[in-house]
Amino acid sequence: MQQWISKLSEQEVGKVLPNEPMSKYTTWKIGGPADALIIPENKRQLANLIRQLHEEQIPWLMVGKGSNMLVSDKGIRGAVIKLGREMEQIQFRGTEAEAGGGASFVRLSIMAGKEGMTGLEFAGGIPGTVGGAVYMNAGAHGSDVSRIFKSAEIVLETGELVTYNAQDMDFSYRHSILHGSRGVVANAIFTLKEGDRLEIAAAMATYKDRRRKTQPLQQPCAGSVFRNPPQDHAARLIEAAGLKGRSIGGAQISELHANFIVNTGQATAEDVLALMELIKDTIASKYDIALVPEVYFVGER
């Protein structure tokens, strides 16, 4: 075991799992081992962990539900942080919803609906965590996190715990300030509105049915692979280019939704990357459009 892992194991930073396979933590079911996966249970452990990693100059990254992450077959050098159960809690106060950074974004939307709170219906099909949703300014169905975000407690890369409001977050399409200024969302507060429970449930059921019919949710995948270019849709371009159903190794462009790549059983990260390159090259050649990935590749090449 590396010295820094042994040292962390003796500190109050949460559970430390050396040489942990990342395929267990990504929705693609792909990825080699991380040097160490660390699971802090609360904000204090999280801040302590990040502070120590900063002092030891150990590289680290966050994994939520692993729904927009492609992990290298060779794994990840350094630490991977996954928030523990204490940071998965959700509570409501009036029209405000407070959720830990590790809470399921889908679960938050369902609970809000049951509380008669509207504003989170769009989140019903976004399979990540609250922290990941804030980081990405996740959105669907014409709405996104920036429209309901009030504030968040964030542990900066130095281990300092700060509170950011909406103006601090620099939200734009699938972007927040955390893309340039590293930090981990420990918890977030969203401002909702009172609504009709039946109407909210009906809207969410419609969205769910649409996803079930148009997305390959029964196979390991990571959601949309590419961002939609201005005034167009990546899926339409990929399908129009004749790439729907194309495979490389165990990775396949979904027959159901052309902007999804599925793991048919034994896909590697290299299979997925090769398929992404094929898509980007083809779309650039045919339509002179540069598709931008919405998923992140992490780890050793």
Side-chain angles (χ1 to χ4, degrees):
M1 186 185 300
Q2 296 184 41
Q3 185 176 0
W4 65 268
I5 300 176
S6 298
K7 184 176 179 180
L8 280 177
S9 299
E10 299 169 357
Q11 304 300 314
E12 187 66 20
V13 297
K15 192 173 184 179
V16 179
L17 302 173
N19 203 39
E20 184 73 357
M22 289 303 298
S23 57
K24 295 165 56 176
Y25 302 94
T26 65
T27 57
W28 250 322
K29 307 300 181 187
I30 291 171
D35 286 343
L37 179 83
I38 307 168
I39 308 174
E41 285 297 330
N42 50 53
K43 288 183 288 188
R44 179 177 55 80
Q45 289 187 352
L46 174 62
N48 191 30
L49 168 61
I50 292 181
R51 185 180 305 111
Q52 293 190 53
L53 292 172
H54 178 71
E55 290 174 357
E56 296 289 332
Q57 297 186 316
I58 304 300
W60 60 268
L61 61 82
M62 280 296 303
V63 60
K65 298 294 183 183
S67 57
N68 69 330
M69 180 180 289
L70 178 63
V71 177
S72 164
D73 302 312
K74 296 180 181 179
I76 299 172
R77 306 288 70 80
V80 175
I81 303 170
K82 182 174 176 61
L83 301 183
R85 291 190 179 277
E86 288 186 34
M87 285 184 281
E88 294 179 357
Q89 303 304 310
I90 295 170
Q91 56 184 324
F92 295 88
R93 293 186 298 270
T95 56
E96 289 186 353
E98 181 173 356
S104 162
F105 205 36
V106 170
R107 179 167 167 260
L108 174 62
S109 71
I110 293 171
M111 290 180 65
K114 290 179 178 179
E115 291 284 331
M117 296 291 112
T118 184
L120 268 163
E121 290 88 333
F122 75 93
I126 299 175
T129 60
V130 166
V134 171
Y135 173 86
M136 283 290 296
N137 187 23
H141 309 296
S143 190
D144 60 29
V145 165
S146 70
R147 301 190 185 204
I148 57 172
F149 180 89
K150 180 181 180 181
S151 65
E153 285 189 292
I154 295 169
V155 178
L156 302 179
E157 61 180 339
T158 57
E160 180 186 2
L161 181 65
V162 299
T163 299
Y164 282 179
N165 58 32
Q167 290 71 36
D168 298 320
M169 291 299 295
D170 190 29
F171 283 126
S172 60
Y173 179 72
R174 304 298 178 264
H175 172 87
S176 76
I177 192 172
L178 298 177
H179 286 228
S181 177
R182 295 194 78 195
V184 178
V185 177
N187 78 296
I189 298 175
F190 304 97
T191 301
L192 307 176
K193 295 179 180 179
E194 293 184 1
D196 183 276
R197 285 179 174 83
L198 293 179
E199 291 181 1
I200 295 168
M204 293 185 69
T206 298
Y207 294 156
K208 182 177 180 180
D209 188 56
R210 185 185 306 169
R211 290 193 304 275
R212 182 180 59 80
K213 290 179 179 178
T214 61
Q215 299 178 5
L217 302 180
Q218 302 307 311
Q219 294 176 282
C221 60
S224 295
V225 174
F226 295 99
R227 299 182 182 183
N228 289 327
Q231 284 76 55
D232 210 334
H233 291 86
R236 188 199 70 78
L237 292 167
I238 297 167
E239 184 169 356
L243 294 176
K244 203 172 188 180
R246 185 74 64 87
S247 295
I248 293 179
Q252 181 187 43
I253 299 173
S254 170
E255 297 274 11
L256 198 58
H257 192 304
N259 198 20
F260 279 57
I261 293 176
V262 299
N263 179 353
T264 61
Q266 299 296 324
T268 65
E270 290 302 317
D271 292 339
V272 175
L273 287 172
L275 207 48
M276 289 175 65
E277 286 301 314
L278 173 65
I279 292 170
K280 287 196 295 183
D281 291 347
T282 302
I283 300 306
S285 175
K286 282 182 173 287
Y287 306 111
D288 195 28
I289 293 175
L291 290 182
V292 178
E294 195 164 309
V295 297
Y296 292 87
F297 177 85
V298 297
E300 187 178 359
R301 287 305 299 265

